[in-house]
């Protein structure tokens, strides 16, 4: 469930609790206790929890609205289920129960062991070798690690070994979003170029294209998957990248569709944000004691060398700062990572030493000119994009420049935690758009102009576009007519701008949630006072690790403290259920 403004959420909780307390669900008198419990469960769901913790005596206030998990049957259901110490809405109890059954099946299934005596020179890192050994022996494998720890590098070698040992192997690779699938494709193709792998990989395997999980499962407008428990996926190996983004519902559909003979490999970074919807499946699974043989965490980062600032900041975020004063935390951050200064343009170059810049927002912004100054600073990162678009507009053969423009656009992105307000998604995109139009000296035609980046906000199966897919608008001549077409690089697909939905969003800035699965050379992270209640270690970690070389922090100091000290832990019963296996 997506988060709503607080006033709307409270009203929604009240309406639903009033609805559930009435016949035919319940015949008992409404009480303050029962209403409070129901609203607590509903609020927990909006925060991504599948349940709340509650003692047995307290649930008596719900009367006929709740039953125990052992009493659930086709003839006996209720709006709420009490399972051990947790109270659920029926939907999320059912999803969690079904998911645990599928995980139990996947863990217990037997696959032929793969001999590794010829493959010892493929990997040198101890943890990466352990990951290969795990996949060789088990049908269900979880490989986690931070940025640059070699998850894709290790996967490429795992795939090469499996390809050699399993005749006519069928492999599928997927990610939760189109952008994540594109990144997976690029990283794999780079890893497949290694000379050590050339004799182990077929040409078809080198051209293997990761897709979204929705496309893998054949999810259409009906939201019913083509592949499921009774019609499993036709593959021997299924690899899922960015698995931290798996919610309960999508994970349940995916796991149910894995055939008994297949290997499932989950890749991800559990320190990142959990899914937007209910559940934190990857984080839960890696905490299950009985799964220690199915889990490897890669720890050696090769992207961030020792002392590199982005890597140091990632480490600082993950450290505990309990019992420290606000001033001491900020002082430690300044010493370990970066001293506050004024944001300035960062010139990107190949092999550059990574940079972190920090500027604090004032506690009060006195007038519009103050805001204008900050919007201008955020615009600096798009200087190279503006130059690339100017060349496109002046070129006699602009189509030749499309790929370079796409690459230049992906050098920089502005990330924010909220959608509304002076530093929310809508206003930042509006302000950057105005500056782009002014610097290019062009006018919008309706909503469209050359260089407009756009992001899909839902799955459109007719267009073949998924929620989160990003494209860039170009002007082209077709059949003698000039028209706006949008190129989606993750799909290598052109779509006529007028065919795209009105709900499509301009994407100079992204929410941090939507940036998951993406990677940019430079990110600007904006956290103002309005974002404070939403911030956490996971949110900040996700934002700064989207960057390969440079991070610009434009933040309120109190909001930064919140992001450095608050750790999100979603409540679920998955660990309890699976630890009993």
């Amino acid at each position: 469930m997506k988060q709503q403004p607080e006033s709307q959420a409270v009203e929604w909780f009240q309406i639903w609790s009033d609805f559930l307390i009435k016949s035919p669900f319940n015949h008992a008198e409404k009480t303050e206790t029962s209403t409070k419990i129901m609203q607590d469960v509903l609020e927990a769901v909006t925060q991504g929890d599948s349940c709340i913790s509650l003692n047995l005596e307290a649930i008596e206030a719900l009367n006929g609205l709740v039953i125990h998990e052992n009493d659930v049957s086709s003839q006996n259901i209720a709006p709420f289920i009490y399972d051990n110490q947790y109270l659920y809405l029926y939907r999320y109890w059912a999803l969690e129960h079904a998911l645990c059954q599928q995980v139990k099946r996947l863990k217990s299934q037997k696959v032929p062991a793969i001999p590794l005596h010829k493959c010892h020179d493929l990997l040198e890192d101890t943890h990466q070798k352990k990951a290969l050994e795990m996949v060789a022996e088990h049908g269900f494998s979880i490989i986690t690690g931070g940025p640059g720890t070699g998850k894709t590098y290790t996967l490429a070698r795992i795939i090469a070994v499996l390809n050699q040992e399993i005749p006519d192997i069928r492999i599928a690779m997927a990610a939760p979003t189109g952008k994540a699938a594109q990144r997976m494709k690029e990283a794999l193709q780079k890893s497949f170029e290694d000379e050590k792998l050339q004799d182990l990989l077929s040409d078809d395997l080198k051209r293997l294209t990761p897709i979204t999980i929705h496309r893998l499962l054949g999810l259409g407008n009906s939201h019913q998957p083509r592949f499921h428990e009774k019609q499993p996926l036709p593959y021997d190996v299924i690899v899922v990248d960015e698995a931290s983004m798996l919610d309960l519902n999508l994970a349940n559909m995916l796991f149910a569709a894995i055939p008994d003979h297949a290997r499932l490999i989950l890749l991800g970074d559990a320190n990142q944000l959990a899914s937007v919807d209910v559940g934190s499946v990857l984080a839960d699974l890696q905490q299950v004691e009985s799964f220690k043989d199915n889990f490897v965490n890669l720890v050696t980062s090769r992207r961030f060398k020792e002392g590199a600032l982005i890597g140091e900041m990632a480490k600082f975020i993950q450290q505990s700062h309990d019992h420290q004063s606000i001033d001491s935390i900020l002082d430690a951050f300044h010493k370990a990572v970066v001293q506050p200064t004024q944001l300035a343009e960062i010139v990107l170059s190949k092999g550059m030493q990574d940079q972190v810049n920090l500027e604090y927002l004032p506690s009060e912004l006195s007038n519009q000119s103050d805001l204008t100054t900050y919007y201008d600073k955020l615009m600096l990162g798009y200087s190279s994009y503006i130059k690339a678009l100017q060349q496109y507009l002046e070129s006699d053969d602009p189509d030749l420049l499309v790929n370079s423009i796409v690459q230049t656009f992906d050098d920089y992105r502005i990330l924010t935690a909220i959608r509304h307000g002076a530093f929310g998604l809508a206003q930042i995109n509006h302000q950057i758009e105005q500056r782009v139009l002014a610097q290019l000296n062009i006018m919008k035609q309706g909503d469209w102009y050359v260089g407009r980046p756009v992001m899909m906000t839902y799955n459109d199966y007719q267009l073949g576009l998924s929620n989160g897919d990003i494209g860039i608008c170009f002007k082209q001549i077709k059949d003698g007519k000039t028209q706006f077409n949008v190129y989606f690089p993750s799909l290598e697909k052109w779509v006529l701008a007028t065919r795209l939905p009105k709900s499509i969003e301009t994407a100079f800035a992204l929410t941090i949630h939507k940036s998951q699965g993406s990677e940019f050379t430079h990110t600007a992270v904006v956290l103002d006072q309005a974002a404070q209640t939403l911030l956490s270690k996971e949110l900040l970690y996700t934002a700064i690790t989207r960057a390969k070389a440079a991070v610009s922090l434009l933040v309120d100091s109190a909001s930064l403290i919140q992001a450095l000290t608050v750790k999100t832990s979603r409540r679920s019963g998955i660990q309890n259920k699976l630890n009993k296996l």
Side-chain angles (χ1 to χ4, degrees):
M1 297 180 112
K2 295 180 179 177
Q3 288 190 348
Q4 306 175 53
E6 187 174 351
S7 59
Q8 292 182 22
V10 171
E11 182 181 357
W12 182 79
F13 300 155
Q14 185 66 48
I15 290 171
W16 271 101
S17 60
D18 286 347
F19 174 71
L20 290 172
I21 206 72
K22 297 175 182 177
S23 178
F25 303 111
N26 189 46
H27 299 284
E29 186 177 345
K30 175 182 177 181
T31 66
E32 287 187 12
T33 302
S34 63
T35 299
K36 176 67 165 57
I37 291 173
M38 286 186 284
Q39 291 182 0
D40 285 349
V41 175
L42 294 169
E43 182 175 8
V45 166
T46 66
Q47 302 301 318
D49 298 330
S50 61
C51 55
I52 64 171
S53 182
L54 206 65
N55 61 48
L56 186 59
E57 292 75 21
I59 70 164
E60 293 177 0
L62 294 176
N63 295 298
L65 289 174
V66 62
I67 59 175
H68 293 260
E69 81 279 9
N70 293 332
D71 298 326
V72 176
S73 67
S74 58
Q75 288 79 36
N76 190 23
I77 59 174
F80 297 94
I81 306 294
Y82 188 72
D83 187 343
N84 196 3
Q85 66 195 47
Y86 297 121
L87 182 68
Y88 297 78
L89 281 172
Y90 177 84
R91 165 178 166 77
Y92 296 106
W93 176 87
L95 282 172
E96 197 173 277
H97 178 76
L99 177 64
C100 287
Q101 293 302 309
Q102 292 299 337
V103 171
K104 180 180 178 180
R105 174 181 68 87
L106 294 172
K107 176 175 168 51
S108 62
Q109 68 188 27
K110 302 297 182 183
V111 294
I114 301 297
L116 297 177
H117 58 277
K118 300 178 183 178
C119 311
H120 288 299
D121 62 336
L122 288 180
L123 293 164
E124 296 179 0
D125 181 271
T126 302
H127 295 88
Q128 293 176 354
K129 283 185 175 182
K130 187 178 177 183
L132 173 59
E133 292 166 359
M134 173 179 65
V135 175
E137 294 179 15
H138 299 282
F140 184 38
S141 301
I142 302 170
I143 303 171
T144 65
T149 52
K151 294 188 293 294
T152 308
Y153 175 89
T154 305
L155 174 66
R157 280 142 184 79
I158 289 171
I159 294 300
V161 172
L162 295 176
N163 182 60
Q164 279 291 293
E165 299 297 334
I166 301 176
D168 302 317
I169 190 171
R170 299 165 299 170
I171 300 174
M173 297 190 186
T177 67
K179 187 64 178 178
Q182 174 68 11
R183 266 196 60 209
M184 187 184 189
K185 176 183 177 181
E186 293 167 355
L188 270 174
Q189 287 179 342
K190 184 176 180 180
S191 292
F192 283 161
E193 292 172 359
D194 192 314
E195 289 184 5
K196 290 183 179 180
L197 303 185
Q198 297 314 299
D199 294 335
L200 303 177
L201 296 169
S202 64
D203 289 338
D204 287 343
L205 202 53
K206 292 176 184 177
R207 292 191 294 267
L208 189 62
T209 299
I211 57 176
T212 64
I213 297 173
H214 285 77
R215 290 194 179 99
L216 176 70
L217 294 175
L219 277 165
N221 291 323
S222 66
H223 301 290
Q224 296 299 314
R226 175 187 173 195
F227 296 103
H228 43 76
E229 193 168 10
K230 295 182 179 178
Q231 180 64 44
L233 290 161
Y235 300 104
D236 305 301
V237 178
I238 296 102
V239 181
V240 177
D241 198 9
E242 298 291 348
S244 64
M245 299 170 69
L246 284 173
D247 60 70
L248 269 180
N249 187 44
L250 188 58
N252 189 48
M253 286 191 287
L254 172 65
F255 288 14
I258 306 297
D260 288 337
H261 71 275
R263 283 174 165 84
L264 173 63
I265 304 172
L266 302 181
L267 303 175
D269 182 353
N271 290 313
Q272 287 188 35
L273 283 166
S275 61
V276 174
D277 292 314
V278 172
S280 52
V281 175
L282 182 67
D284 284 334
L285 291 178
Q286 72 172 44
Q287 298 297 324
V288 177
E289 181 62 28
S290 59
F291 275 47
K292 60 183 179 181
D293 293 335
N294 304 79
F295 168 62
V296 171
N297 183 45
L298 308 181
V299 296
T300 305
S301 177
R302 289 159 180 80
R303 180 194 297 179
F304 303 129
K305 304 300 182 185
E306 191 65 32
L309 290 180
I310 300 176
E312 290 301 306
M313 185 172 176
K315 290 179 185 176
F316 192 92
I317 294 168
Q318 293 175 39
Q319 293 169 4
S320 173
H321 304 291
D322 296 342
H323 313 302
Q324 287 182 261
S325 68
I326 290 175
D327 288 342
S328 65
I329 293 172
L330 286 181
D331 185 56
F333 181 74
H334 297 157
K335 289 178 179 177
V337 184
V338 60
Q339 293 287 337
T341 182
Q342 302 289 311
L343 294 191
E345 184 174 1
I346 295 176
V347 178
L348 303 178
S349 61
K350 191 171 184 180
M352 66 180 285
Q353 188 173 10
D354 69 338
Q355 298 183 38
V356 176
N357 289 343
L358 167 65
E359 179 173 350
Y360 286 123
L361 290 164
S363 56
E364 292 186 12
L365 292 166
S366 57
N367 52 50
Q368 183 61 38
S369 64
D370 289 342
L371 286 171
T372 298
T373 298
Y374 291 118
Y375 296 140
D376 288 343
K377 289 182 178 182
L378 293 173
M379 181 65 195
L380 291 173
Y382 280 120
S383 297
S384 295
Y385 186 58
I386 294 296
K387 292 176 183 176
L389 290 174
Q390 287 171 335
Q391 291 176 358
Y392 175 89
L393 291 169
E394 296 168 1
S395 174
D396 293 330
D397 198 352
D399 287 350
L400 295 177
L401 300 175
V402 168
N403 287 332
S404 64
I405 288 173
V406 169
Q407 292 171 9
T408 304
F409 177 65
D410 274 349
D411 274 341
Y412 177 66
R413 200 74 86 252
I414 303 166
L415 306 181
T416 182
I418 55 178
R419 299 188 68 87
H420 304 290
F423 290 106
L425 182 74
Q427 185 64 8
I428 292 176
N429 272 317
H430 172 71
Q431 293 293 334
I432 299 300
E433 180 177 83
Q434 294 305 304
R435 285 157 174 78
V436 169
L437 293 170
Q439 291 185 29
L440 291 177
N441 194 27
I442 59 175
M443 300 283 289
K444 293 172 69 172
Q445 296 182 34
D447 292 327
W448 297 100
Y449 53 90
V450 170
R452 182 193 179 194
V454 291
M455 182 180 67
M456 287 293 293
T457 57
Y458 68 93
N459 297 325
D460 189 314
Y461 299 103
Q462 288 186 327
L463 291 177
L465 299 174
S466 298
N467 187 3
D469 284 344
I470 290 178
I472 298 177
C473 179
F474 295 94
K475 187 178 285 188
Q476 297 182 320
I477 298 175
K478 300 289 185 182
D479 300 325
K481 296 181 179 179
T482 301
Q483 60 189 27
F484 287 117
N485 282 328
V486 177
Y487 180 59
F488 290 86
S490 65
L491 304 170
E492 298 181 359
K493 180 173 188 171
W494 289 91
V495 179
L496 191 64
T498 53
R499 292 193 63 202
L500 292 168
K502 286 288 186 182
S503 62
I504 203 160
E505 294 181 344
T506 301
F508 292 108
L510 303 175
T511 62
I512 297 170
H513 276 91
K514 285 290 189 182
S515 75
Q516 280 185 276
S518 298
E519 188 176 88
F520 313 104
T521 310
H522 175 198
T523 61
V525 182
V526 187
L527 308 173
D528 67 347
Q529 285 184 343
Q532 189 169 339
T533 58
L534 300 175
L535 301 180
S536 66
K537 285 174 173 282
E538 292 81 4
L539 195 81
L540 183 59
Y541 176 89
T542 299
I544 65 120
T545 55
R546 299 310 89 209
K548 293 183 289 185
V551 173
S552 297
L553 298 167
L554 182 62
V555 297
D556 169 69
S557 59
S559 294
L560 179 60
I561 286 291
Q562 175 88 357
L564 289 171
T565 56
V566 174
K567 184 171 178 60
T568 302
S569 180
R570 288 189 171 178
R571 183 172 284 116
S572 85
I574 288 178
Q575 292 181 46
N576 281 349
K577 288 180 174 70
L578 293 178
N579 275 326
K580 296 176 183 177
L581 297 180

